Amino acid sequence: MSRAHMLYDDKPLECGATVQHHWQGVFSEDAASKADGAQHGIILEAAYQAHEKHYFDDAKKAKFRYWALHLEFKAAARRAYDRFNKEVEPNLGKTKLMNSGFLNSSYKKVEDGSPDTLSFPQVCDFIATKTDLDSWSRPRQANCFVLYVTEDTIKASDLEPGQGMRIRTKPNGPFVESFTLLDTAERTAVKNYSGGTSTAHSWTDNLMAAKQSKAGDELPTEANQGADDDEWD
């Protein structure tokens, strides 16, 4: 068997199909994650491809409902925190602007990225659990992976193939902690967001917005005034 067939399932994926299982033992996300992991999650950007629904019970007859999200990898990094335990947003774009001359307006793009940036193989190693989860739902193509999210968390979302997603995972496994749906324009804004005004807006955008706001606040002149209320009597 080739390595490709060991890693990927080439059967067609029926989006939204429901599969039922029984979990051996007592299920919890912590128990299904790697106990010897690095105790951190990852933050990643991916394109939604499809999903399956997995309903299962465990040894205590507790019932669980999860969606297996099939995602195309775009970028990823380890979740990082500052000394105040506040999460620090990674730069998944891997570039930054650097002054390239004596003029303040002279800039060039250079490689940057987060020091905790992860490659696709590293993400696959991170989310592997060595449990039944790894075989329940396998990627259908290269550069794709599978994450699990509770049905209640995601069922209200309007997902279409190609939909961009920014996802935070829980530590040491394939479970989603939170996610945001993105579009092409939002990807840059959200990627660089660090609180307050998005850094994706340039100073020229802000200047034009200020001019438009000022124009809207000007009082009407005699040339453009409408009829007074008493003229309609």
Side-chain angles (χ1 to χ4, degrees), residues 56-113:
F56 59 97
D57 61 1
D58 67 3
K60 288 188 173 182
K61 304 300 182 182
K63 299 184 183 298
F64 305 88
R65 293 172 176 259
Y66 281 82
W67 285 18
L69 301 179
H70 289 247
L71 304 163
E72 181 183 1
F73 175 82
K74 299 298 182 183
R78 293 181 180 85
R79 294 176 68 175
Y81 301 84
D82 62 18
R83 60 192 182 92
F84 300 107
N85 204 33
K86 180 179 179 181
E87 186 163 7
V88 178
E89 290 289 330
N91 177 13
L92 298 181
K94 300 184 181 179
T95 61
K96 67 179 179 180
L97 292 178
M98 178 175 288
N99 193 301
S100 60
F102 295 104
L103 298 177
N104 291 334
S105 59
S106 299
Y107 291 92
K108 64 179 179 180
K109 283 186 177 181
V110 297
E111 294 295 322
D112 183 24

Side-chain angles (χ1 to χ4, degrees), residues 190-206:
V190 175
K191 175 181 63 183
N192 295 326
Y193 187 76
S194 59
T197 303
S198 170
T199 57
H201 294 291
S202 67
W203 68 271
T204 52
D205 294 334
N206 294 333

Side-chain angles (χ1 to χ4, degrees), residues 18 30 37 54 96 164 179:
T18 301
D30 289 340
H54 292 267
K96 67 179 179 180
F179 67 91

Side-chain angles (χ1 to χ4, degrees), residues 8 71-74 120 139 141-145:
Y8 306 109
L71 304 163
E72 181 183 1
F73 175 82
K74 299 298 182 183
F120 172 69
Q141 61 188 49
N143 208 44
C144 289
F145 58 96

Side-chain angles (χ1 to χ4, degrees), residues 184-222:
T184 303
E186 288 175 337
R187 184 179 184 275
T188 300
V190 175
K191 175 181 63 183
N192 295 326
Y193 187 76
S194 59
T197 303
S198 170
T199 57
H201 294 291
S202 67
W203 68 271
T204 52
D205 294 334
N206 294 333
L207 179 61
M208 293 303 297
K211 284 186 175 181
Q212 293 175 357
S213 176
K214 182 177 180 181
D217 292 339
E218 292 179 354
L219 294 175
T221 63
E222 291 184 0

Side-chain angles (χ1 to χ4, degrees), residues 47 58-59 77 92 109 143 148-149 152 166 175 230:
D58 67 3
L92 298 181
K109 283 186 177 181
N143 208 44
Y148 288 87
V149 59
D152 288 342
R166 186 176 177 90
F175 297 104
D230 56 1

